[in-house]
Amino acid sequence: MLALKGNRTTPTALALALLCGLSGTPDVRAGDTSGTIRVGDMQFGNALDLRGWTPMLQPADPDGVSYLHAGMRRTPTGALYPYPPLADAGKPLGQGDWTYAGLIELGYLHVGGDRNAEYFRQYADWKSGAVLGLFALNFDNRKTGSYVELRGSRLSGDDQYYRLRAGRYGSYRLEGFYRDMPHTVSTRAYPIWNGVGGTDLTLPAPLVAGASTPAQVAAVSAAAPRRSLGLTRTRAGLGYEGVLYRDWIGSAAITNEKRSGTRLWGGSMFFNFPFPDDGGILETVRPIDFRTTDINLSVRNVGKLWRFLATYNGSFFRNHKDHLNFESPFALYNVAGTPQMADIKDGQFSLEPDNDYHNLRLDLTRELKWNGQFSVAGAWGTMRQNDALLPPTTCTGVGGIYIAPPADYTFQCANWNTTAALSQKSANARIDTGLFDARVTFRPTPAFGWHAGLRWYREDNKTRYLAYNPLTGQYGYISENGSQGSVVPGETGIFDPTNPLYWSRNVTVRNVPFGYTDTVLELGADWQPGRKSSLGVTYTYDHNRPKYRERKRVDEQRIKFDWVSRDVIGATVRLSWEYAKRTGDRYNYDPYVPFFSRSLPGFVDPANGLPAHTVADMRKYDLSDRTESKARAIITYPWGESATLSATFYGNRDQYDALIGRQHTRTTGATVQWDWQPTPATTVNAYLGAETSRLGISNVNDADGPDNGAVFGTPEQVNPNLGGPLYPFANQWWELDRERNRNGGFSLSHDFGRVRADLRYDYTGSLGHVGYSYATIGALATRDPASVAAAAAGFPDNKYRTNTLDLGLSFTVSRSVGVRLFGRYQSGAFSDWHYAGLDNTLSYDHRLYTDKGGQLHYNVSLVGVMLNLKL
Amino acid sequence: MRAISLLLAVVLGAASTAGAMLLGAREVQAQQTAAGSAAPEPHATPAGGLSQSDIARMLPATDMGAGAARAGNPHPADMGDSPATPFDAASIPPNPLAPQADPIGAKSCVACHAQENVQASHTLHVASFRAGAANTGPQAACESCHGPGSAHAKDPAAPGLIIGFTHDSQTPPPTQAGVCLACHAGGARQHWIGSVHQNRGLSCTDCHNPMARLSPEGVLAKSSINEVCATCHQDIRAKFNRRSHMPLPEGQMACTDCHNPHGSITRPLLKTDTVNETCYTCHAEKRGPFLFEHAPVRQNCLNCHDVHGSNQQTLLVAPVPMLCQQCHTMTLHPNDLQSAAGLGTGPHPDERLIGRGCLTCHSNIHGSNNPSGPKFHK
């Protein structure tokens, strides 16, 4: 009644209620779990049943939720709640207070058509055969609140989950689960190597490492069988959460994850593009053999005034295959034209090292006067690894190039192919993190509130590595398995202050321990001019101090306005607009001098000076000056008694102050959705969405060839300026990526009584076009007439499109037995110019690819019959 | 065109089916109306012409004496080693719009709200309340959330006399949230106050519905977490349909795997302190630290990846080599304009463009632990 007497009492009452609510009873101790604190495992489902419990939701209760109100209630925003399923009271279990309820859904699935299409089975292991749709069994004790829940589903051995939960409401909960999740990387892979999935890729006969012709390689590639590459993520976990003592609640969880399989990888034996019949570019296959063990502990206390939360997260990653060796079939020739002494044919990768991670965080919140709250959080974390390092190369004999005395650019592999060639035997890598976050909020009157926040975060990289070979006294490394220095004289990767051949070589000699300290200050206020609307403004100042980057300081100021109204012609409207401006200190285009050999004693500047590291007008997009604006509107309109119309409109504009680098991004989009639930038996949904985006960049080709300036190797190569001799305006180019996305669909479900029919159609389509322009052909990678003509034609469009139609009929045979027939038809189309031509051949001169990319067109059908038994 | 044709065909096919369904639906509705005629009519008009006093007279007397029991002690003592759950001690929140109201007990509520009682009884929320009340005597399950009901019972049609959580309710969202937080404060909701969802005026019941078992877990407002989030975030949901995406459309993941919608100390409501820490949880191999780091990778995964979905391979924000050429303009090979000439079908196939492009050679782009890996070749 008070509400009817005027608005004056409402704000006071509202404040009282909020205050009462926030300082309410602490007696409810383990009212819920900490699931939404921990990352992962919130969802157990699969492509057959996205929710993981759909059969448990049918049939809908014909009486809805109320005899008093027709139709369904809506959320405070205005969206309709679905009609609830018919309540199942369960069956008594023995003579006690326990009841049970359950169902099992099993059947047979047949997959026809292009069942191996990559985008059909990207995260679903569809197979013809028997499937367990759902097994759910719940035991409840209505008197004590104790329960046991079991749930599982199985599409295949690589796509399944099982979970057991037990506990007592408000007291404790135990959970154990096991799940397999598939991820298909490629279904059109044609690797030529033996040993795929392992750490040693060897060439099949008749190929000989380092001595095969492109024609021989092409022939073997053409005969290679088609394979699928991918991995399975297998997770198993145990968790407990419950009252420890009085108002203290604790949780402990351990999760063990194994990832096994293969992924596409690379393999470089130096360029092929500038050196026909030379170099080696290989798309290889790497093994995935990871194990990660996560431990999560937490303890919390919720009191009337104080709330405390302490969490520990530990993660321990182990890679059981920490390297990949591969044989390259291609022969290398040096550009000096002298007899090739080097026999470089083997490559090696270090794969990801093991690592340990610890993070301890404390959160404390206190209620304050004036309807206020103060929160503070502090965390310390560390990530470390100390894996044994591999030697710089695996070559044997001699690498490099011998021209004539004194131009002896060879190196003895024995001096570099053991760990004795390293300044340290293990990585000893470590990054520590620190966090402090404080926030205070006050709402002195119900109509007005303000808040302030301060966040400080630091990432401190403590890894230090010096690339020094104690065997030779030289600095640096062996580039690209020794291939680079065996093709181009002196480009071995070595700096030697005692050798004139190497004392001007500017190579990496130290790691760069990137890190940053970020401080964010936020001030905000909100005002409620009416009972159903509010207006807010937030100002944010972000002060970032990156280490060893082009800028030492990056500042961003952001202001955001938002407006919420719950009654715009009956609709709820949420609008927001924000504007941000990022600036910083002087941009140093080359901050990496201390990490290169030019910083070492004994370095001799070359006669023509060192070529500019990069163009001085380059601005990396995470550091450049930028203005940004974003706008978003979310509208929810209750349409009559049984429908909801909702829509989203959004747009982002980013303008980067960069002559070279990212220049702008733009995104504009809208979605609209209609949901209709005229009766418990019928639901209808239709949706449409459209989005366009643009990303524009600019770059400049350096004048490195006779047909575009040929400054490289001359005294003018030291000039880093755009418009200078090394980076002339004539070589500048611009590229624009435009993407257009459309999606739409509808669904219809109706229960006729003995049978329920479901129909669903979904369409998604994207069109991407990369366009470019250039000042002159000096910008182009290749400038012969054929290339210029091809460049003028531009890239073809990239496309991705799927149409999916689902039909289902569910028959009720008896109260406990049901049968479901369903089918899916999906067609897809894909094109990506990265894979243009690979359908015809995977071999181009000294380049060999493995993956042909996604299937260009596919049609696949899926039919199934499921028996549904209520237990 | 083929998609449009297919769409039209499906629409036509569906329309006839829908017509039949809707005819059937009207019959069901008619039956429902008839069946419901025995029950009280909706709130807008006093049922069957009954006056407020008629309604008050028809209601049963309070069954629990809860008002009297709580008059002197609104927070009953903990039951110690009782088998009851701690929920039995839940208090009754005051209704700011009916401050004089008294508790009347669930039996009175159920006299009218019989179907609500049926549905709610099967939810995790109310079942746990019941489990507690079954052992500890007078409690007020309904009124623990809806506030004292006497004023509402006397005048059921007047809005605001009971704490409501739906669109037509007079109870403001902050009051609604306050009721829920009375029990659910702290833990995952430690940072609700000040979160973007709180600031945008969301109520707990925008995402949850404890009155019906719409989802077997999580007392959600829709049938799954992802459907709940997509109610407002339709554009984000659409991105998951793109060529590369996280496995949400396949039912393997939920938005809440990465985000805590109840509030966190990060602006996008991440569960960890930073973007990268969230990513490392499932992609622990990317954590390193590596001997040689790649600056934008270490700083923020989002520099190169659009985690919700992308039209490029592996969630990249732009096609390679364009992605890399936003930053790499060093002399020699990185800064050439790649054109259609370098495609596999072009006159000069170029490894910087074909397949994985730059990543064919710089494969360890997330960081290298090899002494010869400063450029991520090894």
Side-chain angles (χ1 to χ4, degrees):
Chain A
M1 289 296 287
L2 286 177
L4 301 177
K5 291 178 181 172
N7 284 337
R8 288 184 58 195
T9 53
T10 307
T12 312
L14 189 154
L16 281 171
L18 185 60
L19 192 60
C20 290
L22 295 179
S23 60
T25 175
D27 297 323
V28 179
R29 295 173 297 198
D32 39 25
T33 67
S34 56
T36 52
I37 299 177
R38 290 191 301 274
V39 177
D41 300 314
M42 293 294 294
Q43 166 79 13
F44 290 82
N46 54 37
L48 187 63
D49 178 8
L50 307 183
R51 298 174 178 130
W53 52 52
T54 300
M56 301 163 74
L57 300 175
Q58 298 296 340
D61 190 332
D63 292 330
V65 290
S66 177
Y67 297 130
L68 300 176
H69 308 285
M72 288 301 292
R73 292 292 202 174
R74 294 179 181 275
T75 67
T77 294
L80 280 166
Y81 291 115
Y83 279 92
L86 201 57
D88 182 358
K91 299 173 182 172
L93 186 70
Q95 301 300 313
D97 299 318
W98 286 88
T99 58
Y100 75 95
L103 67 86
I104 184 166
E105 185 186 76
L106 44 83
Y108 182 84
L109 213 60
H110 176 77
V111 188
D114 303 313
R115 66 187 72 184
N116 281 326
E118 178 183 329
Y119 296 116
F120 172 65
R121 54 188 312 110
Q122 194 170 12
Y123 294 109
D125 194 26
W126 296 115
K127 282 180 178 171
S128 293
V131 294
L132 172 65
L134 180 68
F135 173 65
L137 189 57
N138 297 346
F139 299 91
D140 288 288
N141 187 314
R142 300 286 179 192
K143 197 165 185 181
T144 65
S146 300
Y147 63 90
V148 179
E149 298 173 354
L150 179 63
R151 189 152 65 88
S153 180
R154 186 183 194 276
L155 262 185
S156 80
D158 291 325
D159 194 349
Q160 59 184 338
Y161 66 83
Y162 307 96
R163 196 193 66 188
L164 176 68
R165 276 182 178 170
R168 189 153 68 93
Y169 297 139
S171 184
Y172 72 94
R173 186 175 84 177
L174 276 166
E175 177 178 291
F177 70 86
Y178 173 90
R179 66 191 305 184
D180 288 299
M181 293 180 281
H183 180 189
T184 298
V185 173
S186 170
T187 59
R188 296 208 302 158
Y190 298 83
I192 65 165
W193 289 271
N194 296 321
V196 168
T199 56
D200 291 286
L201 299 178
T202 57
L203 291 168
L207 297 182
V208 177
S212 304
T213 66
Q216 289 172 314
V217 174
V220 171
S221 172
R226 177 176 173 174
R227 297 181 59 150
S228 289
L229 304 179
L231 57 136
T232 301
R233 191 183 283 263
T234 301
R235 292 173 67 83
L238 280 174
Y240 171 83
E241 182 149 12
V243 177
L244 299 176
Y245 176 71
R246 291 184 180 270
D247 295 335
W248 291 88
I249 302 159
S251 75
I254 181 167
T255 307
N256 191 58
E257 178 185 271
K258 181 173 171 55
R259 280 177 282 168
S260 54
T262 50
R263 289 197 79 121
L264 293 160
W265 200 242
S268 61
M269 287 291 185
F270 204 48
F271 296 124
N272 181 219
F273 78 87
F275 309 117
D277 198 28
D278 206 351
I281 306 296
L282 307 167
E283 186 177 39
T284 63
V285 179
R286 63 161 289 177
I288 304 292
D289 191 358
F290 301 156
R291 186 176 292 279
T292 308
T293 304
D294 289 330
I295 295 174
N296 311 101
L297 306 172
S298 79
V299 60
R300 65 181 188 268
N301 181 288
V302 180
K304 285 185 178 177
L305 288 177
W306 292 92
R307 292 196 287 275
F308 169 80
L309 172 65
T311 52
Y312 165 78
N313 293 311
S315 178
F316 307 92
F317 169 78
R318 299 293 178 264
N319 187 352
H320 297 303
K321 293 189 173 65
D322 62 358
H323 69 281
L324 175 67
N325 296 329
F326 62 93
E327 289 182 341
S328 171
F330 300 114
L332 301 179
Y333 306 95
N334 69 70
V335 296
T338 59
Q340 188 73 357
M341 298 181 66
D343 183 21
I344 305 296
K345 57 193 179 190
D346 297 320
Q348 184 177 61
F349 281 101
S350 290
L351 300 179
E352 297 85 352
D354 298 347
N355 67 64
D356 293 348
Y357 169 71
H358 307 273
N359 184 286
L360 182 64
R361 182 168 138 183
L362 302 174
D363 293 67
L364 195 61
T365 300
R366 191 190 192 282
E367 301 300 321
L368 301 174
K369 288 183 178 178
W370 304 310
N371 205 6
Q373 178 178 290
F374 174 69
S375 286
V376 62
W380 175 83
T382 183
M383 46 193 118
R384 306 174 184 188
Q385 61 100 357
N386 196 22
D387 264 21
L389 298 177
L390 296 175
T393 185
T394 55
C395 74
T396 55
V398 175
I401 300 165
Y402 179 79
I403 300 176
D408 181 0
Y409 290 99
T410 60
F411 64 92
Q412 296 298 319
C413 288
N415 284 333
W416 293 90
N417 64 10
T418 68
T419 54
L422 301 176
S423 62
Q424 62 191 63
K425 297 290 190 294
S426 59
N428 195 24
R430 173 176 172 178
I431 294 177
D432 289 350
T433 63
L435 168 78
F436 174 79
D437 186 283
R439 172 180 284 264
V440 62
T441 305
F442 287 103
R443 180 164 288 281
T445 73
F448 176 75
W450 65 273
H451 72 268
L454 176 69
R455 175 189 163 98
W456 176 91
Y457 178 81
R458 171 173 288 175
E459 206 161 284
D460 182 13
N461 189 332
K462 296 177 181 297
T463 310
R464 298 293 182 272
Y465 175 73
L466 176 66
Y468 173 72
N469 185 342
L471 298 179
T472 63
Q474 295 171 317
Y475 295 85
Y477 58 98
I478 301 299
S479 179
E480 298 194 52
N481 307 297
S483 61
Q484 184 169 355
S486 300
V487 173
V488 181
E491 292 196 0
T492 314
I494 295 171
F495 164 71
D496 186 343
T498 65
N499 184 341
L501 295 174
Y502 290 108
W503 67 25
S504 297
R505 293 289 167 183
N506 191 27
V507 299
T508 304
V509 295
R510 300 180 197 278
N511 72 307
V512 188
F514 298 111
Y516 66 95
T517 303
D518 190 33
T519 307
V520 182
L521 174 68
E522 181 174 299
L523 293 170
D526 63 276
W527 175 54
Q528 297 188 3
R531 192 172 62 84
K532 291 192 170 182
S533 63
S534 68
L535 184 66
V537 58
T538 305
Y539 166 80
T540 307
Y541 174 65
D542 188 333
H543 175 68
N544 196 351
R545 299 189 72 88
K547 288 180 82 172
Y548 311 114
R549 295 296 309 276
E550 285 78 1
R551 275 182 152 165
K552 289 186 166 61
R553 197 189 79 232
V554 179
D555 299 322
E556 184 177 76
Q557 299 188 75
R558 179 179 298 268
I559 190 158
K560 180 176 181 179
F561 296 93
D562 55 78
W563 179 70
V564 180
S565 174
R566 295 181 174 276
D567 194 13
V568 180
I569 329 174
T572 297
V573 178
R574 293 187 168 92
L575 298 179
S576 67
W577 178 77
E578 57 190 289
Y579 176 81
K581 189 167 182 59
R582 189 170 72 189
T583 58
D585 66 344
R586 186 182 70 87
Y587 192 95
N588 174 12
Y589 73 95
D590 185 8
Y592 304 113
V593 172
F595 307 99
F596 280 78
S597 51
R598 67 188 294 192
S599 67
L600 293 177
F603 184 86
V604 177
D605 275 334
N608 293 325
L610 282 172
H613 171 71
T614 190
V615 61
D617 296 277
M618 172 73 192
R619 296 291 181 270
K620 294 185 176 178
Y621 61 90
D622 59 331
L623 301 171
S624 61
D625 288 358
R626 181 185 70 178
T627 55
E628 179 178 82
S629 57
K630 294 182 178 180
R632 176 171 292 264
I634 301 176
I635 301 164
T636 307
Y637 176 65
W639 193 351
E641 288 294 318
S642 57
T644 308
L645 188 65
S646 50
T648 309
F649 303 92
Y650 55 99
N652 302 340
R653 300 285 185 273
D654 286 81
Q655 195 70 38
Y656 297 81
D657 185 16
L659 288 171
I660 300 295
R662 182 187 284 187
Q663 297 192 315
H664 68 267
T665 63
R666 292 180 179 187
T667 301
T668 307
T671 67
V672 61
Q673 180 164 312
W674 175 64
D675 295 281
W676 186 39
Q677 303 174 61
T679 72
T682 307
T683 58
V684 183
N685 164 277
Y687 68 96
L688 286 171
E691 181 184 297
T692 60
S693 62
R694 289 172 170 233
L695 165 64
I697 73 167
S698 180
N699 208 322
V700 55
N701 195 358
D702 55 293
D704 59 353
D707 55 349
N708 71 348
V711 172
F712 194 71
T714 72
E716 294 173 313
Q717 69 180 351
V718 300
N719 189 332
N721 296 316
L722 178 65
L726 183 61
Y727 296 109
F729 287 126
N731 287 2
Q732 191 173 0
W733 53 270
W734 297 265
E735 199 160 45
L736 181 66
D737 176 41
R738 289 180 296 170
E739 296 181 13
R740 192 184 76 192
N741 296 278
R742 303 284 185 268
N743 63 89
F746 66 88
S747 64
L748 192 61
S749 175
H750 183 74
D751 196 334
F752 292 95
R754 300 289 289 183
V755 60
R756 194 183 76 248
D758 303 289
L759 183 152
R760 182 180 180 89
Y761 168 74
D762 294 284
Y763 167 80
T764 184
S766 70
L767 182 73
H769 181 80
V770 177
Y772 48 78
S773 60
Y774 40 93
T776 70
I777 62 168
L780 295 174
T782 48
R783 296 170 287 274
D784 59 277
S787 294
V788 172
F795 287 120
D797 292 340
N798 289 341
K799 295 172 188 166
Y800 175 71
R801 186 175 67 229
T802 62
N803 290 279
T804 307
L805 179 66
D806 288 291
L807 291 166
L809 290 172
S810 302
F811 299 92
T812 303
V813 178
S814 71
R815 287 174 64 98
S816 307
V817 181
V819 175
R820 175 167 168 75
L821 303 174
F822 64 96
R824 168 176 293 184
Y825 174 78
Q826 185 176 92
S827 68
F830 169 78
S831 66
D832 181 342
W833 45 252
H834 290 94
Y835 300 97
L838 298 193
D839 252 347
N840 299 324
T841 179
L842 291 165
S843 176
Y844 296 86
D845 194 14
H846 278 220
R847 307 175 191 89
L848 175 64
Y849 294 91
T850 291
D851 182 28
K852 290 188 176 180
Q855 201 154 317
L856 302 183
H857 298 279
Y858 70 87
N859 296 283
V860 62
S861 60
L862 187 154
V863 291
V865 56
M866 308 293 282
L867 180 66
N868 196 315
L869 299 173
K870 272 193 176 180
L871 303 177
Chain B
M1 283 307 292
R2 211 166 63 162
I4 294 170
S5 306
L6 182 59
L7 181 66
L8 283 174
V10 171
V11 168
L12 287 172
S16 53
T17 314
M21 286 181 179
L22 297 179
L23 285 173
R26 273 200 289 272
E27 287 173 19
V28 172
Q29 204 165 26
Q31 289 165 7
Q32 192 183 17
T33 307
S37 61
E41 285 295 310
H43 61 90
T45 309
L50 294 176
S51 67
Q52 297 297 341
S53 59
D54 292 332
I55 294 172
R57 197 171 55 251
M58 290 165 65
L59 286 171
T62 56
D63 60 306
M64 306 188 304
R70 289 177 180 274
N73 179 15
H75 305 298
D78 189 6
M79 296 310 293
D81 57 358
S82 148
T85 72
F87 292 123
D88 63 350
S91 64
I92 298 174
N95 179 2
L97 302 181
Q100 306 304 322
D102 288 318
I104 57 174
K107 191 172 176 182
S108 300
C109 306
V110 169
C112 294
H113 298 280
Q115 177 67 356
E116 287 91 331
N117 178 50
V118 171
Q119 286 294 337
S121 298
H122 290 87
T123 66
L124 166 73
H125 202 251
V126 174
S128 57
F129 265 39
R130 295 276 168 79
N135 290 277
T136 55
Q139 295 296 329
C142 308
E143 292 164 302
S144 295
C145 297
H146 292 282
S150 64
H152 170 69
K154 288 175 187 167
D155 189 1
L161 296 186
I162 196 80
I163 297 176
F165 298 86
T166 55
H167 186 248
D168 298 331
S169 158
Q170 295 294 309
T171 309
T175 305
Q176 298 173 25
V179 170
C180 304
L181 288 171
C183 294
H184 296 281
R189 285 148 302 279
Q190 184 97 4
H191 298 285
W192 168 255
I193 300 293
S195 70
V196 65
H197 281 161
Q198 190 251 349
N199 285 338
R200 305 306 301 279
L202 265 75
S203 168
C204 305
T205 52
D206 274 311
C207 302
H208 297 280
N209 184 346
M211 289 299 289
R213 202 175 188 203
L214 304 178
S215 63
E217 295 168 10
V219 288
L220 301 173
K222 290 199 172 180
S223 301
S224 69
I225 294 168
N226 295 341
E227 289 168 87
V228 169
C229 300
T231 308
C232 293
H233 301 285
Q234 294 169 6
D235 54 319
I236 302 297
R237 178 64 187 81
K239 291 183 88 169
F240 284 103
N241 290 328
R242 294 183 184 177
R243 168 189 167 191
S244 58
H245 57 263
M246 295 280 183
L248 264 85
E250 290 83 1
Q252 306 275 13
M253 269 185 84
C255 307
T256 51
D257 276 328
C258 299
H259 300 278
N260 180 356
H262 303 113
S264 85
I265 59 171
T266 66
R267 203 180 303 166
L269 303 179
L270 295 174
K271 288 181 166 183
T272 65
D273 300 339
T274 64
V275 169
N276 283 26
E277 282 191 21
T278 299
C279 303
Y280 295 152
T281 308
C282 295
H283 303 279
E285 77 280 7
K286 306 288 192 300
R287 182 185 291 130
F290 299 98
L291 205 58
F292 295 105
E293 297 276 348
H294 191 184
V297 173
R298 175 56 64 186
Q299 187 199 40
N300 193 330
C301 303
L302 303 183
N303 279 328
C304 298
H305 296 284
D306 188 336
V307 292
H308 295 132
S310 157
N311 294 324
Q312 317 302 332
Q313 56 169 302
T314 55
L315 299 170
L316 294 176
V317 297
V320 286
M322 185 184 183
L323 173 76
C324 311
Q325 289 179 314
Q326 294 179 92
C327 293
H328 294 283
T329 184
M330 281 79 87
T331 53
L332 301 176
H333 82 281
N335 55 21
D336 296 354
L337 172 58
Q338 296 294 331
S339 72
L343 298 176
T345 50
H348 286 280
D350 195 315
E351 58 265 29
R352 293 169 291 178
L353 197 59
I354 299 174
R356 291 154 46 83
C358 311
L359 305 174
T360 310
C361 295
H362 304 280
S363 305
N364 261 324
I365 200 67
H366 294 107
S368 172
N369 213 45
N370 192 290
S372 292
K375 293 182 171 59
F376 314 117
H377 289 118
K378 292 268 288 181

